[in-house]
Amino acid sequence: VTRKVWRIGVAGLGTVGAGLLSLLAERPDFAPAGFSAEVTGVSARSRTRPRPVDISGIPWFDDPVALAASKDNDLFVELIGGSDGPAKIAVETALRAGKPVVTGNKALIAEHGAELAALAEAHKAPLLFEAAVMGGTPAVKMLREAMVGDEVEGVAGILNGTCNYILTQMEATGRSFADVLAEAQQLGYAERYDPTMDIGGFDAAHKITILAALAFGCAPTYAAAEIEGIEAIDAIDIRLAKDLGYRIKLIASASRSDGGVSVRVHPTLCPLDHPLARANGAVNALFIEGRQIGRIFLQGPGAGAGPTAAAVAADIADVMTGAVRPVFQAPAKTLRPFAPVDASQQVGRAYVRLLVKDEPGVIAAVSETLAEAKVSIDSFLQKPVEDVSGVPIVLTTHAAPEAVIAEAVRRMAALPAVIEPPRMIRIARI
Ligand SMILES: NC(=O)c1ccc[n+]([C@@H]2O[C@H](COP(=O)([O-])OP(=O)(O)OC[C@H]3O[C@@H](n4cnc5c(N)ncnc54)[C@H](OP(=O)(O)O)[C@@H]3O)[C@@H](O)[C@H]2O)c1
């Protein structure tokens, strides 16, 4: 298509949609090579809600699907959110009409990416989603474009700024998870009504599912992700992990081996001098491991109106200039099916924290249980902690299959001197 002025339809005028409108109003000719953008239609739920940008001169659509189908725009931007519902129908409608789509919707791409990629390619309509992962920090283009000369072996990082903010605050103040979450909700760092997507690890799982597809050329398969959030992280664990030289982070990772692909999100102990341990506050950070290139580290804002809108604009520029690749690195038809590895056979080290009764013989019983399960101990720490009934015991294991460590933890839980279920947290392999 040869046009210099692109007419853009924007569905969703929340944080990111309004941010995009501000950017386009200020810099309509942001794109290289003399292209410019003009917003010719917008859609949101409420027509009367006050917006941080002036939309009075832009045609309004009550229905985002009608905006997606309208002949008055050449490019459709979806910033509504949600894996199904109006966002999905609108995106499908635009693609079927052969219209390029730019979205920031990680849930949609992680859960329906393969079918949408097939639809996009069948209708020769680009589908771009830089803003879906790490907000303004360009992780998607990095994997889809910059890394294609190499073979990516794995990616791992901090993909949810809310969780990272909460963990950072818990460490800084010694306060409980519930307290810090409530404060994060007040400050707008966490969703007020339902923070589950963030703290349960689901948002990070959407993002790592997308990165895995881009890195390994496989169909994005959200259902295969193993997900554990930060709800059960206790202030004690943050303190004790630090005494052992670690910081607890919610790490999302994807790796490839002969057995298949592993995609997981779980709290992880990172050595204090590790770059991921040093990424504190509401930031995102990512390691990419390339066979030839080695290790790349990216860190930056993972959310916010300005950064995320800039990522959306970068995708719009790609559409304008024709710099568009297959949706997931490889054409949809040739994407490999997702072959998950057996998680219980993954080998790693673990931190285990027990709360035991203050009586003789407990340590011997714990050690014996571990020996019976064939898990060897790397370090052992027994430390009285104020405000806690019972004595915390912390141990770290040598590397063992996760199923073996889980069995040892089950046996420890059954010991009469153990007061509450032991807490197991994996130790970073990187
Ligand atoms: N916030 C971030 O920093 C960030 C970063 C990266 C990616 N993203 C992604 O970007 C997308 C948008 O996020 P956001 O934070 O901007 O969300 P948001 O602030 O909640 O805004 C959502 C927008 O969608 C509109 N909307 C909801 N249902 C609709 C419907 N049925 N028809 C038309 N419009 C509808 C809402 O309308 P009203 O305004 O009238 O209620 C609102 O303007 C999501 O997919 C999100 O995951 C966000």
Side-chain angles (χ1 to χ4, degrees):
V1 195
T2 51
R3 60 169 78 79
K4 279 291 177 188
V5 180
W6 281 73
R7 299 169 309 159
I8 318 275
V10 180
L13 300 175
T15 305
V16 187
L20 178 66
L21 257 51
S22 303
L23 186 156
L24 296 180
E26 265 173 47
R27 297 167 47 226
D29 49 3
F30 71 94
F35 291 99
S36 67
E38 183 192 344
V39 180
T40 55
V42 291
S43 175
R45 232 170 347 200
S46 162
R47 188 165 187 170
T48 52
R49 170 170 299 179
R51 308 279 172 193
V53 282
D54 179 16
I55 54 164
S56 57
I58 308 173
W60 173 271
F61 288 71
D62 280 325
D63 180 5
V65 179
L67 178 62
S70 168
K71 295 239 181 320
D72 293 337
N73 59 72
D74 319 302
L75 188 160
F76 179 66
V77 181
E78 184 275 304
L79 297 167
I80 296 171
S83 59
D84 293 272
K88 179 166 184 260
I89 301 168
V91 165
E92 288 168 343
T93 302
L95 294 176
R96 274 200 195 97
K99 190 184 285 185
V101 172
V102 173
T103 177
N105 191 336
K106 51 224 135 186
L108 176 70
I109 299 299
E111 296 185 33
H112 303 293
E115 55 183 279
L116 291 174
L119 191 64
E121 289 170 21
H123 294 275
K124 299 193 168 40
L127 170 60
L128 294 165
F129 44 84
E130 181 60 59
V133 185
M134 293 181 84
T137 308
V140 171
K141 287 191 206 305
M142 187 74 141
L143 287 168
R144 188 202 281 127
E145 295 160 29
M147 296 295 293
V148 289
D150 200 356
E151 286 165 280
V152 177
E153 292 178 329
V155 293
I158 295 167
L159 300 181
N160 185 274
T162 303
C163 289
N164 208 49
Y165 172 83
I166 291 173
L167 293 172
T168 301
Q169 285 298 309
M170 284 176 74
E171 181 184 333
T173 64
R175 287 158 61 204
S176 72
F177 171 77
D179 261 19
V180 173
L181 171 62
E183 187 192 69
Q185 287 176 299
Q186 295 257 290
L187 293 171
Y189 283 110
E191 292 281 337
R192 206 171 275 252
Y193 299 107
D194 186 8
T196 319
M197 281 302 284
D198 288 323
I199 63 172
F202 305 104
D203 172 78
H206 280 141
K207 295 166 180 167
I208 194 69
T209 295
I210 296 172
L211 295 184
L214 291 163
F216 310 136
C218 59
T221 309
Y222 178 66
E226 282 171 75
I227 309 169
E228 187 185 323
I230 63 164
E231 306 94 324
I233 298 293
D234 207 305
I236 293 190
D237 293 311
I238 292 182
R239 250 190 293 172
L240 293 173
K242 204 168 179 191
D243 289 344
L244 291 167
Y246 297 98
R247 182 166 286 136
I248 301 175
K249 294 292 190 183
L250 185 70
I251 301 295
S253 65
S255 57
R256 170 163 58 181
S257 63
D258 292 342
V261 172
S262 151
V263 174
R264 46 195 351 209
V265 175
H266 53 70
T268 306
L269 264 66
C270 299
L272 287 170
D273 60 358
H274 193 286
L276 291 175
R278 291 175 183 210
N280 289 320
V283 299
N284 279 197
L286 184 72
F287 266 112
I288 302 174
E289 183 91 45
R291 204 166 146 192
Q292 304 299 333
I293 298 173
R295 201 163 256 202
I296 291 172
F297 184 60
L298 272 176
Q299 180 174 327
T308 312
V312 173
D315 278 346
I316 293 176
D318 279 357
V319 172
M320 290 170 163
T321 57
V324 172
R325 307 268 186 140
V327 178
F328 291 102
Q329 194 196 95
K333 276 197 256 348
T334 66
L335 286 175
R336 279 190 284 272
F338 189 94
V341 292
D342 178 358
S344 66
Q345 294 311 314
Q346 299 230 31
V347 174
R349 299 173 57 217
Y351 155 108
V352 181
R353 193 253 311 159
L354 304 152
L355 202 57
V356 299
K357 289 180 196 154
D358 192 4
E359 59 187 38
V362 177
I363 291 186
V366 167
S367 311
E368 250 169 63
T369 310
L370 282 158
E372 280 165 22
K374 298 201 167 50
V375 173
S376 64
I377 299 173
D378 182 34
S379 67
F380 211 102
L381 183 73
Q382 182 185 11
K383 209 171 177 186
V385 174
E386 302 146 42
D387 325 321
V388 170
S389 58
V391 182
I393 291 181
V394 181
L395 56 94
T396 59
T397 71
H398 282 296
E402 288 190 3
V404 170
I405 293 176
E407 173 56 22
V409 169
R410 266 193 296 277
R411 289 185 191 205
M412 284 188 275
L415 293 172
V418 171
I419 297 172
E420 59 173 40
R423 181 82 187 113
M424 188 282 285
I425 307 175
R426 298 174 186 90
I427 297 176
R429 277 183 274 179
I430 30 172

